[in-house]
Amino acid sequence: LASLAAVVAKCKEHAGPDVVGTALERARQDAQERAVFCALANVRKAVESNAADDAELERALRPRRWFPPLRATLATLAELRGAVDDGVFDDLARHAVTACVRAVAAAKERLSKLGAAPLDAQLFLVAHLLVLREKVAPLGVRFGAVPVKTLDWSGAKHAVAKLRHAPPKAPPKTFAAPSAAPTRGVFAAVARGLFGARATGALYDLATEGMPTVDETAVDARRELEDALRGGCARVVALAHRQLAGPLLESLRACRAALPSGVAPGEASPAQLQACKRQPFAQPAALGATLRSAVDDGRAAARELRAKCDDFLEHDATRRALLKPARAKAAQTLEAFGAMCDALLPADLRAELEDDVAAYAEVVAEPVVAGAAAEGD
């Protein structure tokens, strides 16, 4: 691929209106076609086939190790940038980026099946998509929705079934035109040319209805990348929130189950609150234990989140962008837990929880990412 790209660049440099220049332009076009063919083969082999085995996937979970399809995509695009025509490069880049996004998403699913922690698998996805976006941006690819054609074979199964179960019968003496001739594009047109427009029977149905149709869909590589990245970030935030506020979330879930649907503790009737207060989670000792557990678990979760983000994500700004919403959600969960305690506990017992409430508020208010406080987070 590198040699072909060099040939394209040299021919482009010396092409001109004379005989030699014209010959060089032909050579350039030929080399460009071969280079694009090589590039597509590289993309298909390393990206679309998702060639990484389980061992390579597990190695990619280690800090700063790139998933092989990502390396192949970026290397292929770097080789061809500036060597082939801009339109050709843009088409190849759209295909490569889309295929890489889908390969990384599939790898994340495989990692989950291999037993990777949910947060690790999601950070793997986010980290690789961020690298892809960062490295592709300087290439100046003109993205946008482009039509992609695929073959739809959905009619083949029904046509084959009709052929297998069609009762044997003697050939008809006369042929009658079918009431509604099937229309399935160029393939069906060829079949009608072979069998005749007035032909009938299971074999004719197979040749017409069993032929594929050409479906055309619009694929936007940039949008697919951004949507996958946005979804991955949202799941990281949700997992981080769950780690920071797990005990509080469980207690709030138990309260919702004990009250009528849609009724908040502060809005419940005395009878509804009385029934809720009899539940094990609502006992004063249980609420205090939940809060103390949340403080301990939150501190441990903050350390683990800091370590994992340091492993997977290169920039502090990215870590803050992911974990600041998780801390905000944990603070909201603490407010909801406090409101529940206000409704379930008398004032003197509620006051005994204030020290633990303050301790947990301090945990979720701390910058989870090292150095964030110095930058005004």
Side-chain angles (χ1 to χ4, degrees):
L1 178 59
S3 300
L4 286 167
V7 171
V8 173
K10 277 295 182 183
C11 290
K12 190 174 182 179
E13 179 182 349
H14 296 287
D18 56 357
V19 175
V20 175
T22 302
L24 288 174
E25 174 60 18
R26 291 199 192 98
R28 184 191 74 82
Q29 292 178 358
D30 180 65
Q32 176 172 273
E33 291 178 4
R34 294 170 185 266
V36 170
F37 177 81
C38 264
L40 287 172
N42 286 350
V43 170
R44 291 192 183 100
K45 179 179 179 182
V47 180
E48 292 184 340
S49 64
N50 201 13
D53 57 23
D54 292 347
E56 287 176 314
L57 275 177
E58 291 173 347
R59 284 196 295 272
L61 274 179
R62 299 174 186 172
R64 311 295 163 82
R65 295 292 296 269
W66 284 7
F67 183 45
L70 175 63
R71 288 200 304 267
T73 299
L74 296 177
T76 299
L77 295 179
E79 290 284 3
L80 286 185
R81 184 57 183 153
V84 299
D85 294 340
D86 290 344
V88 174
F89 178 78
D90 291 340
D91 287 341
L92 176 65
R94 294 186 197 107
H95 175 82
V97 168
T98 299
C100 187
V101 169
R102 294 175 182 178
V104 172
K108 189 266 296 182
E109 296 298 331
R110 285 176 57 193
L111 284 170
S112 299
K113 293 178 181 179
L114 290 172
L119 184 60
D120 288 358
Q122 290 297 337
L123 284 172
F124 166 89
L125 173 76
V126 169
H128 282 79
L129 294 182
L130 284 171
V131 170
L132 178 62
R133 185 174 69 174
E134 178 184 348
K135 300 298 183 183
V136 168
L139 299 178
V141 180
R142 288 169 296 198
F143 287 106
V146 294
V148 175
K149 295 181 180 180
T150 56
L151 294 180
D152 178 13
W153 291 88
S154 58
K157 182 178 180 181
H158 176 69
V160 170
K162 286 176 63 177
L163 178 64
R164 291 180 58 189
H165 299 292
K169 58 183 179 179
K173 296 181 179 179
T174 60
F175 294 93
S179 57
T183 303
R184 301 191 66 82
V186 64
F187 298 101
V190 172
R192 287 193 296 272
L194 291 174
F195 287 91
R198 299 171 63 84
T200 59
L203 187 59
Y204 173 74
D205 291 343
L206 175 64
T208 53
E209 296 177 10
M211 289 297 175
T213 57
V214 179
D215 292 341
E216 185 174 292
T217 56
V219 175
D220 189 332
R222 184 194 295 277
R223 182 172 181 177
E224 189 161 341
L225 170 59
E226 295 297 334
D227 286 350
L229 185 55
R230 191 179 302 110
C233 289
R235 285 185 283 273
V236 169
V237 170
L239 290 168
H241 171 221
R242 195 177 306 161
Q243 286 189 229
L244 286 169
L248 302 185
L249 291 170
E250 289 297 327
S251 185
L252 289 169
R253 191 176 297 114
C255 182
R256 286 194 298 271
L259 291 173
S261 177
V263 177
E267 302 169 350
S269 67
Q272 292 169 341
L273 275 180
Q274 194 61 35
C276 188
K277 289 178 181 179
R278 290 194 290 266
Q279 300 297 318
F281 81 91
Q283 304 308 307
L287 292 172
T290 296
L291 197 49
R292 290 188 293 273
S293 177
V295 173
D296 294 338
D297 291 357
R299 286 172 178 158
R303 291 192 294 269
E304 181 182 359
L305 289 170
R306 183 184 301 118
K308 286 187 180 296
C309 285
D310 287 344
D311 286 344
F312 282 95
L313 304 173
E314 183 176 356
H315 303 297
D316 283 344
T318 305
R319 301 166 195 162
R320 291 197 303 275
L322 281 175
L323 297 181
K324 187 175 181 178
R327 290 188 283 112
K329 285 178 175 291
Q332 293 171 359
T333 302
L334 177 62
E335 291 181 7
F337 183 83
M340 180 185 71
C341 292
D342 291 340
L344 296 177
L345 298 177
D348 56 337
L349 294 179
R350 174 65 177 84
E352 294 179 3
L353 301 180
E354 284 304 316
D355 289 343
D356 293 324
V357 169
Y360 184 78
E362 183 179 353
V363 169
V364 297
E366 287 179 357
V368 177
V369 179
E375 301 181 31
D377 184 19

